[in-house]
Amino acid sequence: MKLLRRKIDQYLSSWKADESHMPLIVKGARQVGKTASIMQFATDNYQHVVAINFVLQQKYKAIFEDGYDVESIVRNLTLIDPNIELEAGNTLIFFDEMQDCPSCATSLKAFQIDGRYDVICSGSLMGINYQEIESNSVGYKTDYTMHSMDFEEFLWAKGYGDEFIESLYDKMLHTKPLSSLEMDVLTQLFREYMTIGGMPAVVNRFISSGNFSGTLQMQRQLLLDYEEDITKYAQGLDKGKIKSVYNHISVFLGQDNKRFQISKVARGARNREYVGTIEWLRDAGIVNVCYCLSQTSLPLKGNYDPKLYKLYFKDTGLLVASLDEESQEDMRVNKNYGTYKGAIYENVVADMLTKQGYDLYYYRNEKSTLEMDFFIRSATSLIPIEVKAKDNATRSLTKLTAHDGRYPDIQYGIKLCCNNIGYNGHFYTFPYFLAFLLKRFVRDDREKA
């Protein structure tokens, strides 16, 4: 299997180079590539690597039975396997699948204070429950959340380098249209990315074969694996209700307003009966939650209704895999990526924003006369983002960016569609595939509007 370049690679290198680095916990949904990236980093940077998988090697859970001091842990490690070699300053201990052994997180304080060995833990967000951990070593560890591959990582996998991506960003920042060749090639690449998503195994299958053969089966198996993990890890909640919410995500995304409504999940369903289910799916790394703003003004986090929200799949490839056969055929055969009420474009933009560190917010007034797909912010401005599956009217974006005093927090907007780069004095137009550069653009832009 081809080793894929990931953004965590640079993070791990910087982590090791920092002389004061603490033990690291890498969290993320299952199958996003945590273990492969950490093991490649480990073998490239350490003379000795001790890799323990608490799911596959249950016997190693006993290494903490004599306490959490490093001497006791090392003694028990070498008791189980006397061939293990540990050299101070040149050893990485990798605790994988930490959700099956919460004690490993408790030991991190001791490893930090001792300082002889580097430690990385990894686990599925679905299984990590800090309430089960005696002491989670607050102040003695660093947390890093890993996602499935974003579009930039997909471009790397396809052979495009940093120089090419910099050229795209330069045109974006200076509002220079892309060439027709660039538009055609990148549109095709983005369609591939939307179809297969960013799960590394699926991307690897697609890259190595050069076609979509087998990718849908892999995606559907991942959907089943997630459902199985709900049964395994959802503690203290009704697993059937979590599954019901999970299985209805694509149903609501196929509707006009896309808002998720518990009352329509099952006959007689009440919000109070589903308390915690949405939060569990979010914390498990399965869904992105987009909350409805109470009004189109700053601040975002203090200005939303927690009872009104949309749910998006974390990985758009899994949304595609969850669709009915007719929608699948329409998209794959007819190249109609606007199918399913534009949900695919909306989902992929939500995912791209989340991977840049944004929380998700939308707006829709009671009369539906003003609605906006997403809002982000710069240091000084609220920025509406409209996602158009087709190049039709942008009435809401035009209203919000009119500069007529009604929306003083908004200086400019962004429209994501199939069109080239442009700016009309009120909002920027970018092709969908440049959305992965939005945070950088917002940071570097000179607030021209």
Side-chain angles (χ1 to χ4, degrees):
M1 181 178 287
K2 177 184 177 183
L3 180 66
L4 298 169
R5 178 185 172 190
R6 303 297 304 277
K7 291 186 174 178
I8 194 177
D9 301 342
Q10 181 58 49
Y11 179 86
L12 292 173
S13 295
S14 299
W15 170 80
K16 187 178 189 300
D18 183 354
E19 293 184 0
S20 61
H21 67 262
M22 295 186 287
L24 177 65
I25 296 180
V26 178
K27 300 176 287 187
R30 67 178 294 157
Q31 303 297 321
V32 297
K34 301 183 297 294
T35 300
S37 292
I38 294 168
M39 283 304 299
Q40 185 61 46
F41 163 76
T43 54
D44 287 346
N45 290 276
Y46 294 87
Q47 186 69 32
H48 305 286
V49 179
V50 180
I52 296 168
N53 184 308
F54 288 116
V55 170
L56 301 178
Q57 299 167 294
Q58 298 268 331
K59 60 186 178 183
Y60 283 100
K61 293 181 180 180
I63 64 176
F64 306 106
E65 287 184 354
D66 295 326
Y68 297 113
D69 63 286
V70 174
E71 286 297 337
S72 296
I73 295 169
V74 169
R75 183 173 60 249
N76 287 334
L77 270 173
T78 54
L79 179 62
I80 294 173
D81 184 356
N83 294 313
I84 287 178
E85 294 184 47
L86 298 101
E87 176 188 345
N90 204 12
T91 298
L92 176 71
I93 300 174
F94 175 30
F95 294 130
D96 200 7
E97 303 291 2
M98 66 175 291
Q99 72 273 5
D100 272 45
C101 185
S103 295
C104 76
T106 308
S107 72
L108 298 185
K109 179 177 180 179
F111 276 108
Q112 167 64 12
I113 294 172
D114 181 272
R116 285 177 291 167
Y117 313 112
D118 286 350
V119 179
I120 297 179
C121 300
S122 176
S124 167
L125 283 170
M126 194 175 288
I128 294 177
N129 182 354
Y130 283 100
Q131 293 179 350
E132 298 176 2
I133 298 174
E134 180 182 338
S135 167
N136 65 1
S137 301
V138 173
Y140 295 90
K141 64 177 178 64
T142 301
D143 292 286
Y144 179 91
T145 300
M146 189 173 180
H147 302 279
S148 63
M149 296 171 69
D150 67 11
F151 186 55
E152 184 172 12
E153 291 171 312
F154 181 77
L155 289 175
W156 292 343
K158 295 286 285 188
Y160 295 91
D162 295 335
E163 186 176 345
F164 174 72
I165 291 168
E166 284 303 308
S167 71
L168 296 178
Y169 181 67
D170 183 73
K171 289 188 175 182
M172 185 178 182
L173 184 61
H174 296 96
T175 326
K176 296 179 180 178
L178 300 167
S179 70
S180 58
L181 179 61
E182 287 172 324
M183 282 293 294
D184 291 344
V185 170
L186 284 162
T187 296
Q188 178 58 35
L189 288 168
F190 193 63
R191 286 175 175 174
E192 293 174 356
Y193 175 70
M194 285 194 295
T195 303
I196 66 170
M199 292 299 191
V202 182
V203 173
N204 240 323
R205 173 69 176 261
F206 175 73
I207 298 292
S208 60
S209 67
N211 57 59
F212 294 97
S213 176
T215 58
L216 180 58
Q217 289 84 348
M218 294 177 72
Q219 291 168 319
R220 285 177 171 168
Q221 184 58 51
L222 278 168
L223 289 170
L224 292 173
D225 290 343
Y226 280 150
E227 191 165 337
E228 183 179 319
D229 281 352
I230 290 171
T231 301
K232 180 178 180 181
Y233 290 117
Q235 299 177 3
L237 293 169
D238 189 318
K239 298 171 183 178
K241 287 185 169 62
I242 296 177
K243 283 185 182 181
S244 184
V245 170
Y246 172 67
N247 290 325
H248 278 81
I249 296 172
S250 58
V251 174
F252 285 97
L253 287 179
Q255 298 178 2
D256 286 326
N257 68 11
K258 298 179 177 57
R259 181 163 70 88
F260 199 93
Q261 295 175 272
I262 291 295
S263 61
K264 295 183 179 180
V265 168
R267 179 175 294 180
R270 298 289 184 269
N271 281 306
R272 63 176 180 272
E273 300 168 350
Y274 286 77
V275 171
T277 57
I278 306 300
E279 291 78 7
W280 191 91
L281 288 167
R282 179 198 63 203
D283 294 344
I286 297 175
V287 303
N288 289 320
V289 185
C290 183
Y291 291 104
C292 185
L293 291 176
S294 301
Q295 53 190 357
T296 53
S297 61
L298 294 172
L300 290 172
K301 287 192 175 181
N303 181 30
Y304 71 90
D305 188 339
K307 299 186 294 297
L308 302 177
Y309 53 85
K310 301 178 186 179
L311 295 183
Y312 298 102
F313 277 91
K314 270 281 189 182
D315 186 86
T316 302
L318 298 185
L319 167 62
V320 170
S322 74
L323 299 182
D324 55 76
E325 296 291 341
E326 292 76 17
S327 296
Q328 288 264 350
E329 184 176 0
D330 189 24
M331 188 189 68
R332 293 174 182 270
V333 177
N334 302 324
K335 308 297 182 185
N336 181 12
Y337 288 81
T339 189
Y340 228 72
K341 305 287 187 180
I344 296 171
Y345 284 117
E346 212 172 295
N347 197 102
V348 76
V349 170
D351 185 44
M352 294 167 92
L353 292 175
T354 300
K355 286 172 177 173
Q356 293 171 76
Y358 285 114
D359 293 322
L360 300 179
Y361 302 97
Y362 76 101
Y363 181 76
R364 186 184 184 100
N365 64 13
E366 291 183 2
K367 296 181 179 179
S368 300
T369 55
L370 184 69
E371 51 188 309
M372 188 51 52
D373 299 313
F374 301 104
F375 283 89
I376 59 175
R377 67 165 299 172
S378 66
T380 59
S381 176
L382 180 65
I383 305 168
I385 298 178
E386 187 163 31
V387 182
K388 304 298 289 187
K390 299 178 181 178
D391 188 28
N392 48 5
T394 56
R395 294 186 184 89
S396 291
L397 189 58
T398 299
K399 285 182 183 179
L400 289 169
T401 59
H403 305 156
D404 56 8
R406 287 184 294 174
Y407 306 101
D409 288 339
I410 297 174
Q411 298 179 21
Y412 66 91
I414 293 171
K415 176 183 175 181
L416 298 173
C417 58
C418 58
N419 290 348
N420 210 326
I421 296 171
Y423 180 62
N424 65 2
H426 297 273
F427 58 84
Y428 294 91
T429 297
F430 296 124
Y432 312 106
F433 52 74
L434 291 181
F436 76 96
L437 292 167
L438 281 181
K439 187 158 193 174
R440 188 176 169 190
F441 174 82
V442 168
R443 182 192 65 212
D444 294 345
D445 183 59
R446 295 179 296 277
E447 303 283 3
K448 289 179 278 189

